[in-house]
Amino acid sequence: SRHIVKQLDLVLQDNNLKEAEIADICIRALLMRCSDFFEQPVKALFEPLYRDLMVITEYLWNDRHHINTFMRRLFRKNHLARHSINSLIAGLWLWLQNSGEYRRKDLDRMALALLLHDVGMCKVPPFLLSKPGPLKQEERDKIILHPIVGVKLMQKMDVAFEELLRACFEHHERLDGSGYPQRTKGNQSTKPGRLCAVADSFAAMICERPFRKGKEIMQAVKELASDARYDQEMTNSLLTGFAAGTIGQMVDMDQVVDAPQPE
């Protein structure tokens, strides 16, 4: 598996791999690529990340139900790369449930938008993200700027298609106007932005933070479904998926990727 992680397109060629093994390998590969890219967000590190993500969308294009296997594999430790992968998985699961007919191009763009929606956070000083107590106003101001920073990063890299820009810019907007940076209300934000808001919040809620423990998954989805600041069709779909057992038994991906690898 360590070899395939570095040459991910092999998962599409190896008929001996089980569905769960493919999901584990894909997530390992994304974690490696995302960690590298967020540490140094440049075009040279974006390109291998993009190639690996296109392998995953090819796998999902062949059978959209494969997303359920990914959805059972979420991280519970907070880290920008792990948060981004959780957001990708949850967001794509929601998108595939509610998108109707779609083109391969639509799937590719939505996947990249969800994965890189929080890219602006890589420019926030690390000590702010690990601070256990409340932030000062000037510290909070630096974090609030990250949607705009993310948009500028993607534009600088000439990766500026609409879904990605909306996901970067709108994932902290809320339907009642209480979000940021524009304080849009209702349908003033786009569907990709509203979808990303749900995926981003869900991913954040289930992970440990310096100032709180992660919520249990059912607690998180119930809270989202009862929160009118989010798109109710999307949050209800997420709740139904977990409550009805559609997604199945969860796997803690932190234990999988952090386990010592055999020599």
Side-chain angles (χ1 to χ4, degrees):
S1 67
R2 283 188 293 177
H3 172 64
I4 297 177
V5 161
K6 295 179 181 178
Q7 194 175 344
L8 193 60
D9 58 333
L10 292 176
V11 301
L12 302 176
Q13 304 168 28
D14 191 337
N15 295 325
N16 295 315
L17 289 172
K18 298 176 182 177
E19 190 173 329
E21 292 172 328
I22 291 174
D24 287 347
I25 291 167
C26 287
I27 292 172
R28 283 181 183 273
L30 274 188
L31 183 61
M32 177 182 69
R33 300 298 189 192
C34 283
S35 297
D36 290 345
F37 177 68
F38 291 142
E39 186 174 333
Q40 190 179 4
V42 295
K43 192 79 170 181
L45 293 176
F46 169 79
E47 289 171 355
L49 170 61
Y50 179 76
R51 285 196 301 270
D52 280 1
L53 186 59
M54 292 305 101
V55 172
I56 295 170
T57 57
E58 175 70 16
Y59 181 61
L60 296 176
W61 177 252
N62 291 333
D63 185 347
R64 64 192 292 169
H65 295 99
H66 288 320
I67 193 62
N68 287 331
T69 309
F70 284 84
M71 192 63 161
R72 290 192 286 271
R73 287 161 165 75
L74 298 174
F75 293 104
R76 308 304 296 274
K77 293 179 181 177
N78 185 49
H79 178 275
L80 180 55
R82 297 183 189 212
H83 169 76
S84 299
I85 293 168
N86 279 359
S87 300
L88 164 71
I89 293 171
L92 271 190
W93 187 91
L94 278 171
W95 188 80
L96 289 168
Q97 309 307 307
N98 298 286
S99 61
E101 294 296 323
Y102 59 89
R103 302 168 298 173
R104 170 65 193 274
K105 180 180 179 180
D106 301 325
L107 175 61
D108 292 345
R109 288 189 167 200
M110 202 64 233
L112 191 59
L114 287 160
L115 185 64
L116 296 185
H117 77 281
D118 230 6
V119 64
M121 289 295 282
C122 72
K123 295 297 186 179
V124 174
F127 78 90
L128 292 182
L129 304 179
S130 59
K131 186 175 180 179
L135 297 177
K136 299 176 182 178
Q137 186 58 48
E138 60 268 26
E139 294 172 334
R140 179 170 169 75
D141 289 343
K142 291 180 181 178
I143 291 179
I144 287 176
L145 287 175
H146 81 268
I148 300 169
V149 173
V151 168
K152 290 180 177 179
L153 272 173
M154 293 295 94
Q155 288 174 330
K156 185 178 180 181
M157 260 182 271
D158 199 25
V159 186
F161 58 88
E162 186 67 13
E163 293 90 339
L164 177 55
L165 296 184
R166 292 299 103 199
C168 286
F169 202 53
E170 297 176 358
H171 66 276
H172 282 292
E173 300 291 355
R174 300 293 179 258
L175 298 183
D176 65 349
S178 64
Y180 63 86
Q182 288 193 302
R183 296 190 175 276
T184 57
K185 290 185 177 182
N187 290 335
Q188 288 177 331
S189 59
T190 62
K191 190 168 184 178
R194 297 196 302 275
L195 170 64
C196 199
V198 173
D200 173 80
S201 292
F202 170 70
M205 291 167 77
I206 66 172
C207 283
E208 295 178 5
R209 294 296 176 103
F211 49 88
R212 63 157 174 79
K213 292 184 178 180
K215 297 179 185 292
E216 292 302 317
I217 285 176
M218 279 306 300
Q219 180 187 358
V221 294
K222 285 178 180 178
E223 287 184 17
L224 280 172
S226 64
D227 192 333
R229 297 177 301 161
Y230 296 90
D231 186 302
Q232 293 298 286
E233 180 182 0
M234 295 178 190
T235 56
N236 285 332
S237 180
L238 192 62
L239 175 60
T240 301
F242 281 107
T246 305
I247 294 167
Q249 186 68 35
M250 300 300 296
V251 175
D252 187 340
M253 275 308 293
D254 295 292
Q255 294 184 7
V256 175
V257 302
D258 293 340
Q261 292 293 296
E263 293 298 329

